[in-house]
Amino acid sequence: MKFHIQTWGCQMNDHDGERLSGLLLNEGFTQVSTSDEADLVLLNTCSIREKAVHKVFSVLGRLREEKQKRDVLIGVTGCLAQQEQAALFRRAPQIDFVLGTMALNQLPRLVEAAKAGKKRVMDTGEYPDNHLFPPEVARRRSTAKALVTIIEGCNHACTYCIVPTTRGVERNRPWQDIVAEVRGVVADGYREVELLGQNVNSFNGGCSFAELLARVSEVEGLEWLRFTTSHPMNFTKELARVLVTNPKVAPFLHLPVQSGSNAVLRRMRREYTVEQYMERLGYLGEGRRKLGLSTDFIVGFPGETDEDFEATMKLLESLKFDSSFSFIYSPRPGTAALRLKDDIPAAVKTERLQRLQKRQLELAKESNLRFVGRTVQARIESHSAARDGFWMGRTGEWKNVHIQTGDGRILPFGELVDVTITMASPQFLGAEIA
Ligand code: SAH
Ligand code: SF4
Ligand code: F3S
């Protein structure tokens, strides 16, 4: 049987996709790169915003037509599966099975049942050992870094967020298992590892997150260690110290702030004020200047006034993030923010988003210009499909680098290369081999 898996959403979902692929490969299935060739299509979904959900239903619509022409099994997993559960069968009867985010290893059983002709097969149970998923099963996609999940779930309760519903409460892996898995991926040839969690810095699997970084960084052969995502209230002085002093921890921090207005932050139940967020960043001291810093913003949250939004713009100006991801607030089923009146006209939301994104691009360019003339290390991630002699790499600060070789040289995928930065745009740095 041939399967195709399509994954949306965050890195954790990406890695879940790698786990699910591994399960099916172990069952003797073959993985194919398009749904047209597949006997089983698995949609590993995200439901963080309404747009993400639309994408899933649009693919489901296409698959429905496909299913009228030939035999194909359709399975839905990921956050939309966990959120909607049996309701998915009603909205899209072409679905054969639904698998929740906390029951990954039940996949082969569900596929068997669906293959045997059973209708509407579902498991959205909470298997308490889901986070102990055997690391050797995951079949990693060939990318320049290995994803390693360290903690699943989230104990915060941001009023806009679906994640606590779709991923449950926090479950930690023991730190020894994590170190062993990192040793394994390094032995497989990976030089860079990204530790994953909805909130990595509340890690509590036998040591603190800062301690875990220190322990993992000792794995011989590992060059860079990254992590995502962090909640500002769990960002400790100890963690800041490891981040700015440990040479194996890549100089990059993604610390979502969401808004520059305390009134909005309170309604979002983010548990911090703007002042507290800045205090946490202050833990980095002078080391902050060497880090790439990125954040997330939500605009148009219920009740966001012009003044609230101006406060966000002021924060953007004063903290000068190297990059940021910004989104228009999207109401999510069952979340507390639904009780707040979504009172901002769509046009105003769009205008705010565009203003924020435009200014961020200018700031990103300023940040990138600081690199021009410098020689830095970049890990080779891919070759440009469009142009010969062009390679894409990534610096420790998470900057995209477009590297021109010109002389037919092949750059080694996954390895660090010294490059001299020759130009800067808002989105990337241009470079030549040093
Ligand atoms: N655990 C992470 C966030 C994961 S979701 C954290 O707490 O920072 C990634 C980003 O999506 C969030 O930071 C937020 O900016 C955005 N997001 C989450 N829910 C959203 C919603 N309902 N509408 C719009 N953006 C949302
Ligand atoms: Fe969602 Fe908040 Fe948890 Fe992040 S910290 S996953 S935004 S509830
Ligand atoms: Fe999306 Fe679920 Fe990740 S909602 S962002 S796939 S945790």
Side-chain angles (χ1 to χ4, degrees):
M1 226 179 150
K2 295 180 190 155
F3 75 98
H4 172 69
I5 176 163
Q6 182 166 4
T7 294
W8 290 270
C10 56
Q11 285 98 322
M12 180 169 299
N13 217 37
D14 265 349
H15 185 50
D16 280 353
E18 295 176 331
R19 291 168 161 181
L20 296 166
S21 298
L23 284 170
L24 293 176
L25 290 164
N26 283 357
E27 294 292 311
F29 288 50
T30 322
Q31 188 159 7
V32 291
S33 55
T34 65
S35 57
D36 306 344
E37 317 160 58
D39 312 303
L40 162 65
V41 179
L42 194 55
L43 305 181
N44 186 23
T45 62
C46 169
S47 62
I48 197 77
R49 286 169 289 274
E50 190 58 31
K51 233 187 226 163
V53 176
H54 282 318
K55 288 185 196 159
V56 179
F57 279 102
S58 120
V59 173
L60 277 170
R62 210 170 37 69
L63 287 173
R64 183 159 141 212
E65 289 169 25
E66 184 84 14
K67 210 178 162 90
Q68 280 158 2
K69 290 186 236 144
R70 65 184 186 93
D71 269 351
V72 53
L73 286 179
I74 303 171
V76 180
T77 176
C79 286
L80 184 64
Q82 191 67 43
Q83 174 195 309
E84 291 293 317
Q85 310 203 0
L88 270 181
F89 294 121
R90 290 193 290 278
R91 281 180 76 176
Q94 66 273 39
I95 297 172
D96 296 287
F97 67 89
V98 169
L99 173 71
T101 57
M102 291 169 263
L104 297 191
N105 58 15
Q106 300 304 309
L107 177 65
R109 186 174 60 78
L110 265 56
V111 173
E112 272 317 306
K115 249 167 74 181
K118 214 168 157 233
K119 300 270 173 262
R120 302 191 165 192
V121 186
M122 182 171 90
D123 194 340
T124 49
E126 294 188 27
Y127 291 78
D129 59 349
N130 189 66
H131 66 295
L132 302 176
F133 193 90
E136 65 282 0
V137 172
R139 208 57 80 87
R140 289 192 160 78
R141 284 190 304 135
S142 166
T143 53
K145 70 174 180 216
L147 306 175
V148 173
T149 298
I150 64 164
I151 173 169
E152 290 182 20
C154 180
N155 288 358
H156 291 278
C158 305
T159 54
Y160 52 80
C161 187
I162 194 78
V163 172
T165 310
T166 62
R167 296 278 170 172
V169 293
E170 289 175 0
R171 287 143 292 144
N172 295 277
R173 288 177 69 194
W175 70 266
Q176 295 90 336
D177 289 11
I178 297 163
V179 171
E181 181 168 2
V182 172
R183 277 206 198 98
V185 298
V186 171
D188 287 344
Y190 284 102
R191 295 288 167 260
E192 184 170 331
V193 163
E194 184 160 30
L195 302 181
L196 303 179
Q198 268 79 34
N199 182 14
V200 282
N201 49 12
S202 69
F203 179 78
N204 188 22
C207 66
S208 70
F209 181 58
E211 188 58 37
L212 179 74
L213 283 179
R215 290 178 189 182
V216 172
S217 73
E218 282 165 18
V219 172
E220 204 149 329
L222 178 73
E223 290 170 348
W224 280 346
L225 183 56
R226 300 183 185 277
F227 56 90
T228 198
T229 301
S230 307
H231 189 285
M233 284 324 272
N234 303 104
F235 188 77
T236 60
K237 287 184 180 156
E238 191 196 2
L239 174 54
R241 193 161 353 98
V242 175
L243 180 56
V244 299
T245 59
N246 188 320
K248 292 254 198 104
V249 179
F252 175 73
L253 176 64
H254 181 65
L255 199 64
V257 63
Q258 314 298 359
S259 169
S261 152
N262 284 336
V264 173
L265 288 173
R266 202 177 323 117
R267 283 200 299 279
M268 289 179 167
R269 210 181 292 148
R270 283 295 286 180
E271 305 165 33
Y272 54 82
T273 59
V274 172
E275 294 71 26
Q276 282 170 316
Y277 180 88
M278 307 237 251
E279 187 191 331
R280 301 288 154 136
L281 274 187
Y283 292 171
L284 296 164
E286 282 299 298
R288 149 92 206 265
R289 282 196 293 188
K290 293 202 200 99
L291 291 189
L293 182 66
S294 87
T295 197
D296 292 341
F297 290 105
I298 296 177
V299 305
F301 191 72
E304 184 189 65
T305 62
D306 284 337
E307 291 73 39
D308 291 325
F309 179 67
E310 291 312 324
T312 297
M313 290 301 289
K314 204 176 120 210
L315 184 82
L316 187 79
E317 215 54 58
S318 67
L319 293 183
K320 300 211 184 318
F321 298 100
D322 298 275
S323 59
S324 70
F325 301 89
S326 41
F327 316 96
I328 289 177
Y329 165 68
S330 172
R332 308 311 298 127
T335 56
L338 287 184
R339 276 181 257 132
L340 305 169
K341 200 162 157 250
D342 189 5
D343 51 356
I344 303 158
V348 173
K349 291 178 183 167
T350 308
E351 194 190 309
R352 287 180 186 167
L353 185 73
Q354 285 170 349
R355 237 185 93 198
L356 192 155
Q357 292 184 338
K358 181 161 174 279
R359 185 62 191 135
Q360 178 61 60
L361 281 179
E362 291 164 3
L363 292 168
K365 179 157 183 185
E366 279 175 32
S367 152
N368 285 348
L369 277 170
R370 287 185 287 129
F371 279 75
V372 175
R374 278 171 55 187
T375 296
V376 298
Q377 288 190 307
R379 187 175 310 284
I380 305 303
E381 293 190 333
S382 59
H383 179 243
S384 162
R387 288 174 76 178
D388 243 11
F390 269 88
W391 303 78
M392 259 71 84
R394 193 70 83 160
T395 70
E397 298 84 359
W398 198 237
K399 303 269 185 200
N400 261 313
V401 197
H402 292 192
I403 308 155
Q404 190 171 11
T405 53
D407 57 1
R409 235 175 102 177
I410 308 286
L411 297 183
F413 178 76
E415 283 182 30
L416 285 178
V417 171
D418 285 328
V419 297
T420 304
I421 308 300
T422 53
M423 64 79 74
S425 86
Q427 291 89 357
F428 63 89
L429 302 169
E432 287 166 0
I433 297 291

